[in-house]
Amino acid sequence: MSDSLPLRIALLASCTIDLIKEPLAATLSARDIAADFWIAGFGQYRQLLIDPESECYRFDPHIAILYLDAEDLFAPLLEHPLDFNKSEREELVQQCTAELADLVAQLKRRLPRISIFLNTVAIPPLNILGSLEYNSTFSVKQAASIYNNALVGIAHQNPGVVIIDVAALVDWLGYANWHDARLWHLARSRWSRSATRLLGRRYAAAIAALCGKMRKCIVLDLDNTLWGGIVGEDGVEGLRLGEEGTGLAFREFQTQLLSLQRQGILLAVCSKNNPDDALQVIRSHPAMCLREEHFAAMRINWADKASNLCSLAKELNIGLDAMVFVDDNPVERSWLREALPEVFVPDWPRDPSDYKNRSEEHTSELQSR
């Protein structure tokens, strides 16, 4: 993919996909990725991918996003679940996965270098079966499990296929917030506005990774970010960090960061602090999960954080656009956004109990697949 030419992205779906273009384009633009889009008509993905002369192939996309929704794929099962016994249910799913595998194969045969984004599916959590879902031979949720497991095989057999875990996003946002019945009736869109924005960001993060623009480094403040309290005022013993209360929240956040570090994400420190005080905590506090060796670089001084981030980027040989800066102080966050717009500075919760969840929410900024 050339840096000088816009990416050509084809959007195809079993439902209306038009609404995702704006948040996807905006997020890509923020990553300095220009894109041209071609959008399939409502539910027309089959005929467009089967026909070698279709507009989709004439567009010659670099990336095809093929979004298929469980409520479209399994509509007969969801509407009349008592009409399907176990074998018939499995046969329906096998037909769906076989068709998908065939469409992917046709795309790859005609456009060998294309990247194809598929998605896991989620069944609505409440359905007409009620308690029969787990207390009888009838089930609709089993269909999603079989389908999602089959996606792994399709991806392994077709290099360039990327699976976006939409089912996890639905769980995160909650189905009631993911689906907007009014938008479905008016525009045949399966997503609420919140879901559309979230999905657009997730696709953009995966596309950015394909373009080599993945966020690679989390730069962390220390006081009230990695631990509770201010070490210069409270001392090492007075910090909130441990196995109980607020201290546990900070420890859980550190555990999350350690997991990311083990996956290859760089961790760095940028803190206005006395270096000796801060390093004493990192080296010797018994509840610290993150030690000195887990940080690729540190800037613990009284210089402004923008200068420190530029210095860190130079030392680590990465661009500022590869960095995520985490700080509990809203003033510092606002100033960093103005000073270094290339750096991703997420809003951060006031309550440390939410730190771990917020880091999980932004994990897609750091992972390509």
Side-chain angles (χ1 to χ4, degrees):
M1 301 177 188
S2 172
D3 290 337
S4 60
L5 297 174
L7 278 179
R8 294 188 298 277
I9 302 175
L11 303 178
L12 306 100
S14 60
C15 53
T16 297
I17 197 171
D18 304 52
L19 297 178
I20 204 173
K21 175 186 172 183
E22 183 177 341
L24 176 54
T27 309
L28 289 174
S29 178
R31 298 280 191 94
D32 293 323
I33 299 173
D36 289 335
F37 293 88
W38 174 84
I39 305 175
F42 169 68
Q44 295 180 13
Y45 66 94
R46 291 184 182 89
Q47 53 266 49
L48 289 164
L49 295 180
I50 291 171
D51 180 5
E53 303 300 323
S54 72
E55 291 182 27
C56 179
Y57 290 112
R58 288 199 295 271
F59 181 66
D60 190 23
H62 300 107
I63 293 171
I65 293 176
L66 177 55
Y67 181 91
L68 303 181
D69 196 280
E71 293 184 69
D72 301 315
L73 290 172
F74 310 136
L77 174 63
L78 292 169
E79 291 170 4
H80 305 288
L82 298 178
D83 291 349
F84 291 80
N85 60 33
K86 184 175 185 293
S87 61
E88 291 169 335
R89 187 167 60 243
E90 292 175 353
E91 182 180 357
L92 172 64
V93 181
Q94 288 166 3
Q95 289 173 352
C96 292
T97 56
E99 180 187 50
L100 178 60
D102 181 63
L103 293 175
V104 168
Q106 292 193 54
L107 251 175
K108 294 295 293 184
R109 185 167 60 251
R110 290 164 185 155
L111 300 171
R113 300 180 65 182
I114 194 171
S115 296
I116 304 170
F117 288 2
L118 306 179
N119 61 280
T120 59
V121 299
I123 296 289
L126 301 178
N127 62 69
I128 198 171
L129 286 175
S131 62
L132 292 177
E133 177 69 44
Y134 292 107
N135 294 285
S136 73
T137 59
F138 300 102
S139 173
V140 296
K141 294 181 181 179
Q142 184 190 43
S145 298
I146 298 171
Y147 181 90
N148 291 339
N149 289 334
L151 292 179
V152 178
I154 294 174
H156 286 169
Q157 294 165 13
N158 296 276
V161 169
V162 178
I163 307 299
I164 302 298
D165 193 1
V166 168
L169 298 180
V170 177
D171 285 345
W172 175 266
L173 195 61
Y175 181 81
N177 295 317
W178 181 269
H179 182 67
D180 186 327
R182 188 178 64 87
L183 281 175
W184 167 246
H185 294 141
L186 292 176
R188 286 295 188 263
S189 172
R190 290 289 185 189
W191 315 308
S192 68
R193 287 180 172 82
S194 296
T196 302
R197 290 193 296 269
L198 178 61
L199 194 55
R201 292 200 306 270
R202 183 63 189 94
Y203 279 125
I207 292 170
L210 289 178
C211 297
K213 294 181 179 288
M214 181 179 172
R215 307 281 186 188
K216 303 173 184 177
C217 179
I218 306 176
V219 184
L220 297 143
D221 179 41
L222 294 177
D223 291 332
N224 290 314
T225 300
L226 280 191
W227 54 68
I230 301 173
V231 65
E233 299 176 5
D234 302 319
V236 176
E237 297 79 8
L239 298 179
R240 297 187 299 280
L241 181 63
E243 297 294 342
E244 301 292 339
T246 304
L248 179 58
F250 287 103
R251 184 172 171 83
E252 288 178 344
F253 178 45
Q254 287 195 27
T255 302
Q256 184 82 3
L257 292 167
L258 181 59
S259 179
L260 290 172
Q261 191 266 346
R262 288 173 174 168
Q263 294 176 46
I265 302 300
L266 300 175
L267 301 182
V269 170
C270 179
S271 173
K272 290 181 178 178
N273 234 314
N274 182 315
D276 292 337
D277 292 341
L279 288 172
Q280 184 182 358
V281 181
I282 293 170
R283 291 169 179 169
S284 65
H285 195 291
M288 281 290 295
C289 297
L290 297 172
R291 297 298 186 186
E292 201 167 357
E293 65 268 20
H294 296 126
F295 297 103
M298 293 186 181
R299 294 295 183 273
I300 304 174
N301 54 40
W302 299 103
D304 70 87
K305 292 188 176 181
S307 298
N308 277 335
L309 259 67
C310 291
S311 174
L312 284 168
K314 184 175 181 180
E315 178 180 343
L316 297 172
N317 195 28
I318 60 175
L320 290 169
D321 60 356
M323 289 180 155
V324 177
F325 178 64
V326 176
D327 195 313
D328 70 293
N329 188 328
V331 176
E332 292 280 15
R333 294 198 304 269
S334 179
W335 186 79
L336 252 296
R337 291 188 188 108
E338 291 289 332
L340 300 176
E342 307 97 319
V343 176
F344 177 54
V345 184
D347 289 330
W348 208 244
R350 295 172 62 91
D351 189 339
S353 295
D354 294 326
Y355 283 12
K356 180 176 179 287
N357 286 342
R358 184 59 57 87
S359 68
E360 290 172 345
E361 180 181 351
H362 290 294
T363 294
S364 64
E365 291 284 339
L366 301 154
Q367 294 180 323
S368 59
R369 302 188 184 188

